[in-house]
């Protein structure tokens, strides 16, 4: 249920595959009530108790989420840390028996970390010690962007310049999935205009057509010199493709007088594609 316009209070549920005595259910309900509300679309895990067994350690935790729909977890990677942040154990768990969670629901579960999952000597872990347990998230990234040069760029760049742009694209950091990114690679200042050459990369799974490209230009002091939207027609960029484009910033629309362009940076103003 909604507790405020921006946060959600979860309802606790118990798995049919885990027989929990009534007294323990009350304990879990107590711990659950003490937890802070979640923001929208959040997945969270909270450690309740840590104890040692012959096979390793068991961390009892409450998993909860604030999605507006049912949630089924296939696999999770969990890390146990002490209160100083030192990692004690790490393991990937299959979550088939955990079951499906209704919208905005929480559920307690036991996680066995075996000896080979421990990252510190077994003797350094104590029963019922203070601990944190967190998910390890893997963000999918896109690498190996292919440079596309249209006829104008092929005719306008020498072979050496083309190789330079190709090597530049290959040297850029990977992008997270579903991002449109720009990076500037050449700057040319004239009397009335500044020309900036940029590379646009598309890490979406689909071809994007860009009609307007809103860019902000910064100078060496980090000040915004210009904010401008560039109508670039039907500029298509395929998935995992990198394309260069040349943009001109007229000095008459600059927001700052006498900017220092000894270094510079550009950013794309966030927009909905």
């Amino acid at each position: 249920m909604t507790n405020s316009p921006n946060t959600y209070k979860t309802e606790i549920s118990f798995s049919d595959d885990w027989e929990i005595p009534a007294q323990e259910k009350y304990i879990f309900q107590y711990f659950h009530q003490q937890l802070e509300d979640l923001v929208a679309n959040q997945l969270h895990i909270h450690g309740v108790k840590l104890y040692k067994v012959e096979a390793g350690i068991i961390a009892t935790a409450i998993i909860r989420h604030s999605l507006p729909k049912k949630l089924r977890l296939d696999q999770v990677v969990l890390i146990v840390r002490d209160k100083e942040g030192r990692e004690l154990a790490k393991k990937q768990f299959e979550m088939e028996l955990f079951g499906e969670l209704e919208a905005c629901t929480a559920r307690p579960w036991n996680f066995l970390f075996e000896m080979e999952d421990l990252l510190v000597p077994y003797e350094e872990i104590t029963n019922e010690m203070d601990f944190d347990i967190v998910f390890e998230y893997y963000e999918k990234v896109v690498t190996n962007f292919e440079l596309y040069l249209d006829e104008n760029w092929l005719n306008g760049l020498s072979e050496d310049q083309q190789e330079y742009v190709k090597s530049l694209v290959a040297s850029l950091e990977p992008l997270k999935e579903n991002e449109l990114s720009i990076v500037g690679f050449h700057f040319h200042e004239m009397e009335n205009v500044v020309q900036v050459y940029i590379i646009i990369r598309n890490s979406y799974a689909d071809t994007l057509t860009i009609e307007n490209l809103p860019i902000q230009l910064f100078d060496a002091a980090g000040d915004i010199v210009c904010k401008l939207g560039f109508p670039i027609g039907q500029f298509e960029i395929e998935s995992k493709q990198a394309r260069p484009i040349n943009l001109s910033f007229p000095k008459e629309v600059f927001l700052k007088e006498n900017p220092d362009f000894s270094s510079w940076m550009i950013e794309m103003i966030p927009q909905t594609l």
Side-chain angles (χ1 to χ4, degrees), residues 77-95:
V77 177
L78 297 179
I79 300 173
V80 175
R81 298 173 179 159
D82 65 17
K83 284 302 181 179
E84 284 69 49
R86 184 178 60 146
E87 295 186 355
L88 306 178
K90 176 179 174 180
K91 182 178 179 180
Q92 177 175 295
F93 293 91
E94 303 295 329
M95 298 296 290

Side-chain angles (χ1 to χ4, degrees), residues 43-47 61-64 78 111 133-135:
L43 177 66
H44 181 264
I45 185 168
H46 176 77
I62 297 174
I63 291 180
R64 58 199 181 117
L78 297 179
F111 297 95
I133 186 167
V134 296
F135 293 107

Side-chain angles (χ1 to χ4, degrees), residues 24-40:
E24 288 190 28
K25 286 188 177 182
Y26 290 131
I27 294 172
F28 283 127
Q29 288 167 345
Y30 169 78
F31 276 109
H32 176 256
Q33 289 171 357
Q34 308 310 306
L35 298 177
E36 293 184 0
D37 297 342
L38 297 177
V39 299

Side-chain angles (χ1 to χ4, degrees), residues 4 12 51 57 76 102 112-113 144 153 170 174 190-191 209 242:
S4 79
I12 194 166
Y51 55 98
I57 62 173
V76 295
E102 296 292 332
L112 170 63
F113 293 82
N144 301 323
W153 282 93
M190 293 177 283
E191 184 177 353
T209 300

Side-chain angles (χ1 to χ4, degrees), residues 46-253:
H46 176 77
V48 175
K49 184 179 180 181
L50 182 73
Y51 55 98
K52 300 169 75 170
V53 293
E54 187 175 337
I57 62 173
I58 291 179
T60 302
I62 297 174
I63 291 180
R64 58 199 181 117
H65 79 103
S66 55
L67 295 169
K69 60 183 180 180
K70 294 181 179 181
L71 173 69
R72 180 174 291 276
L73 299 171
D74 296 323
Q75 296 176 335
V76 295
V77 177
L78 297 179
I79 300 173
V80 175
R81 298 173 179 159
D82 65 17
K83 284 302 181 179
E84 284 69 49
R86 184 178 60 146
E87 295 186 355
L88 306 178
K90 176 179 174 180
K91 182 178 179 180
Q92 177 175 295
F93 293 91
E94 303 295 329
M95 298 296 290
E96 182 179 355
L97 292 178
F98 182 76
E100 188 174 66
L101 290 180
E102 296 292 332
C104 292
T105 304
R107 176 169 293 168
W109 203 247
N110 282 333
F111 297 95
L112 170 63
F113 293 82
E114 298 172 287
M115 291 298 187
E116 59 265 30
D117 305 316
L118 303 185
L119 304 176
V120 299
Y122 181 69
E123 296 73 24
E124 295 185 15
I125 300 174
T126 58
N127 270 326
E128 301 193 36
M129 66 185 292
D130 289 336
F131 77 104
D132 291 317
I133 186 167
V134 296
F135 293 107
E136 181 177 69
Y137 292 103
Y138 291 99
E139 290 184 316
K140 294 183 178 179
V141 296
V142 177
T143 58
N144 301 323
F145 286 85
E146 181 181 356
L147 175 65
Y148 172 73
L149 299 174
D150 62 25
E151 187 175 346
N152 289 333
W153 282 93
L154 287 172
N155 293 334
L157 297 178
S158 67
E159 288 189 9
D160 287 345
Q161 289 171 328
Q162 291 179 34
E163 287 302 317
Y164 166 75
V165 179
K166 286 180 183 178
S167 64
L168 174 63
V169 169
S171 69
L172 295 176
E173 291 290 324
L175 287 184
K176 297 176 188 176
E177 283 190 343
N178 302 322
E179 283 190 338
L180 187 69
S181 172
I182 64 169
V183 61
F185 69 95
H186 183 67
F187 185 95
H188 182 53
E189 183 176 7
M190 293 177 283
E191 184 177 353
N192 298 315
V193 70
V194 166
Q195 286 190 325
V196 177
Y197 294 75
I198 70 174
I199 290 172
I200 306 176
R201 292 185 295 164
N202 172 23
S203 65
Y204 285 83
D206 301 315
T207 297
L208 298 179
T209 300
I210 306 170
E211 297 181 4
N212 184 67
L213 194 62
I215 302 291
Q216 47 195 6
L217 173 66
F218 299 82
D219 69 357
D223 297 328
I224 295 179
V225 176
C226 187
K227 286 185 176 182
L228 205 58
F230 292 90
I232 55 177
Q234 299 289 311
F235 188 88
E236 282 196 356
I237 179 166
E238 296 180 4
S239 176
K240 297 186 68 174
Q241 191 177 77
R243 285 193 67 178
I245 191 170
N246 175 17
L247 304 176
S248 296
F249 293 84
K251 291 186 176 180
E252 63 187 27
V253 298

